[in-house]
């Protein structure tokens, strides 16, 4: 008698769709035989890694036969000094995505619910459903978080609220005043996750710093990453900052050695390289302006963004344009899974990459793709 193995999985797992990452450059080259490809799909830092990071990784290579420091002492010490927090408040993750999953595993499950916004980061519903919890999706306001509606949506069984600032894929943000008012409304028994994966790019007046709110709101967890502004997407290093009590719970469910040796030394080196971070911010500001001016010339609209990407309204269903851009050797990100079928998310690249993207987009629009 045969048995379908999928029937043995939890119902939430059976109903999940796998996370769809941006198409790799090598995959498009294989599929279409295109030698020159630019990727503006995954919000990666176009500068490449810091030279200080490469040097640190080179020095660490002879010790790859050793397990990494599971507690991440050196990186935690550097982060604690930079952020003005205690090491006991830190949880390291395989990217901030890992920390989000740890939160779900620690605080969600059957009979509990999580609140998040429409058009919010896709990991929130995935982590919620995987744990068997109920998702409460609050309609967006102007493509962003409606914090008042999210606070009102908290129910007796709500255990976690996810807030992304800036939000991916829309680039929208909430102000310090808005965030403080929201946190004051959420019951202390509810964990609030403030996802700040793109905060280093947020050059907006009145933008909040979640670390400064931790002392006032002990139910707050702030998550950040080295994948974006610090240029370490390939090494997957992120972290959470919270009260020591919450961090202790997260570290109980954290897998041993969840951050590899190269990731630990690379993140510590990246954190110390202030010049690299400043160059990345400057390149992003210049590239954002270049894209906005080019998109305006093409008659396209976009959602104002505090990140390193733009969600661009193509005026019609966007998948044909996405496919046409692939034929031109340009990879961007369709966001239909976020209930945004007319938009493509475009990462800010280097000057020549942005120019190639705009030229390819103009060609596709003129040809009626």
């Amino acid at each position: 008698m045969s048995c379908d193995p999928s029937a043995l999985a939890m119902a939430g797992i059976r109903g999940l769709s796998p996370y769809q990452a941006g198409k790799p450059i090598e995959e498009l080259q294989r599929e279409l035989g295109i030698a020159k490809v630019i990727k503006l799909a995954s919000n990666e830092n176009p500068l490449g890694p810091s030279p200080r990071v490469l040097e640190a990784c080179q020095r660490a290579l002879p010790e790859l036969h050793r397990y990494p420091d599971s507690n991440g002492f050196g990186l935690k010490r550097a982060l604690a000094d930079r952020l003005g927090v205690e090491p006991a408040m830190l949880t390291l993750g395989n990217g901030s995505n890992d920390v989000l999953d740890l939160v779900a595993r620690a605080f969600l499950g059957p009979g509990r619910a999580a609140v998040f916004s429409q058009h919010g980061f896709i990991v929130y519903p995935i982590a919620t459903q995987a744990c068997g919890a109920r998702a409460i999706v609050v309609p967006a306001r102007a493509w962003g978080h409606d914090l008042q509606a999210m606070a009102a949506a908290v129910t007796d069984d709500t255990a976690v609220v996810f807030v992304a600032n800036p939000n991916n894929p829309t680039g929208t943000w909430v102000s310090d005043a808005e965030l403080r008012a929201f946190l004051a409304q959420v019951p202390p028994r509810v964990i609030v996750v403030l996802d700040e994966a793109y905060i280093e790019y947020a050059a907006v007046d009145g933008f909040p710093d979640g670390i400064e709110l931790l002392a006032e709101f002990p139910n707050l967890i702030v998550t950040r990453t080295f994948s974006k502004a610090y240029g370490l997407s390939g090494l997957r290093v992120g972290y959470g900052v919270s009260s020591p009590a919450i961090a202790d719970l997260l570290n109980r469910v954290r897998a041993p050695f969840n951050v590899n040796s190269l990731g630990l030394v690379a993140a510590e080196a990246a954190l110390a390289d202030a010049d690299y971070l400043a160059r990345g911010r400057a390149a992003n500001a210049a590239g954002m302006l270049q894209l906005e001016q080019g998109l305006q010339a093409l008659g396209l609209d976009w959602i104002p963004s505090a990140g390193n990407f733009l969600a661009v309204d193509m005026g019609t269903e966007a998948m044909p344009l996405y496919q046409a851009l692939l034929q031109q050797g340009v990879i961007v990100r369709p966001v239909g899974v976020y209930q945004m079928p007319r938009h493509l998310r475009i990462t800010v690249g280097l000057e020549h990459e942005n120019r190639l993207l705009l030229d390819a987009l103009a060609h596709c629009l003129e040809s009626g793709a």
Side-chain angles (χ1 to χ4, degrees), residues 100-119:
L100 298 174
D101 189 61
L102 293 177
V103 172
R105 290 171 59 199
F107 296 103
L108 292 175
R112 296 190 175 192
V115 172
F116 46 85
S117 176
Q118 179 190 22
H119 313 311

Side-chain angles (χ1 to χ4, degrees), residues 25 28 36-40 329-332 352-354 356-357:
I25 290 174
L28 184 61
K36 187 175 182 180
V37 174
I38 62 168
K39 182 184 178 187
L40 300 176
V330 177
I331 307 174
V332 294
H352 74 278
E353 294 174 322
N354 298 330
L356 288 170
L357 171 279

Side-chain angles (χ1 to χ4, degrees), residues 115 136 138 146-155 158 182 185-186:
V115 172
I136 302 174
V138 177
D146 185 341
L147 291 184
Q148 289 186 344
M150 291 178 69
V154 172
T155 56
T158 300
F182 166 76
Q185 293 179 67
V186 175

Side-chain angles (χ1 to χ4, degrees), residues 16 39 51 75 97 124 214 225 229 280 287 353 360 362:
L16 277 177
K39 182 184 178 187
L75 179 55
N97 192 143
Y124 309 151
L214 288 168
T225 185
E353 294 174 322

Side-chain angles (χ1 to χ4, degrees), residues 311-336:
V312 183
D313 187 347
M314 296 299 161
T316 185
E317 208 279 325
M319 278 303 291
L321 265 173
Y322 165 71
Q323 296 292 345
L325 286 170
L326 291 180
Q327 297 292 326
Q328 299 291 313
V330 177
I331 307 174
V332 294
R333 186 69 178 271
V335 286

Side-chain angles (χ1 to χ4, degrees), residues 52-336:
R52 293 176 65 168
V53 163
L54 297 178
E55 293 170 4
C57 288
Q58 188 66 40
R59 290 194 298 270
L61 290 178
E63 296 299 315
L64 290 186
H65 62 301
R66 305 292 185 190
Y67 281 107
D69 176 3
S70 185
N71 291 317
F73 176 82
L75 179 55
K76 281 187 176 180
R77 180 180 58 189
L79 281 168
D81 290 344
R82 173 62 58 85
L83 302 174
V85 301
E86 296 298 321
M89 299 170 67
L90 294 165
T91 304
L92 300 182
N94 187 242
S96 57
N97 192 143
D98 187 27
V99 182
L100 298 174
D101 189 61
L102 293 177
V103 172
R105 290 171 59 199
F107 296 103
L108 292 175
R112 296 190 175 192
V115 172
F116 46 85
S117 176
Q118 179 190 22
H119 313 311
F121 186 34
I122 197 68
V123 166
Y124 309 151
I126 289 175
T128 299
Q129 184 173 333
C131 290
R134 181 170 67 95
I136 302 174
V137 185
V138 177
R141 178 166 55 90
W143 299 107
H145 290 57
D146 185 341
L147 291 184
Q148 289 186 344
M150 291 178 69
V154 172
T155 56
D156 289 342
D157 64 347
T158 300
V160 177
V161 179
F162 292 101
V163 176
N165 203 37
N167 182 55
N168 171 34
T170 62
T172 52
W173 66 94
V174 299
S175 70
D176 183 78
E178 291 171 320
L179 182 59
R180 287 178 182 273
F182 166 76
L183 290 170
Q185 293 179 67
V186 175
R189 62 173 177 81
V190 177
I191 296 295
V192 177
V193 179
L194 182 61
D195 182 352
E196 295 185 332
Y198 297 91
I199 189 171
E200 289 86 4
Y201 288 117
V204 179
D205 289 340
F207 196 93
D209 182 339
I211 306 300
E212 297 177 356
L213 301 173
L214 288 168
E216 186 176 351
F217 301 100
N219 58 329
L220 179 64
I221 302 173
V222 178
T223 62
R224 293 184 179 178
T225 185
F226 285 91
S227 294
K228 308 304 181 185
Y230 288 101
L232 299 184
S233 297
L235 287 176
R236 311 299 299 123
V237 188
Y239 60 96
V241 193
S242 62
S243 70
I246 289 177
D248 176 59
L249 291 171
L250 298 181
N251 280 308
R252 294 183 195 189
V253 294
R254 179 180 61 85
F257 316 115
N258 63 330
V259 181
N260 66 72
S261 298
L262 295 184
L264 289 172
V265 298
E268 191 172 348
L271 193 65
D273 195 344
D275 289 342
Y276 174 84
L277 186 61
R279 286 194 296 113
R281 286 170 169 164
N284 188 67
M288 183 76 76
L289 180 61
Q290 180 188 6
L291 284 180
E292 289 175 342
Q293 291 175 342
L295 293 168
Q296 185 177 37
L298 292 174
L300 296 173
D301 195 11
W302 63 90
I303 303 171
S305 173
N308 66 334
F309 56 88
L310 286 173
V312 183
D313 187 347
M314 296 299 161
T316 185
E317 208 279 325
M319 278 303 291
L321 265 173
Y322 165 71
Q323 296 292 345
L325 286 170
L326 291 180
Q327 297 292 326
Q328 299 291 313
V330 177
I331 307 174
V332 294
R333 186 69 178 271
V335 286

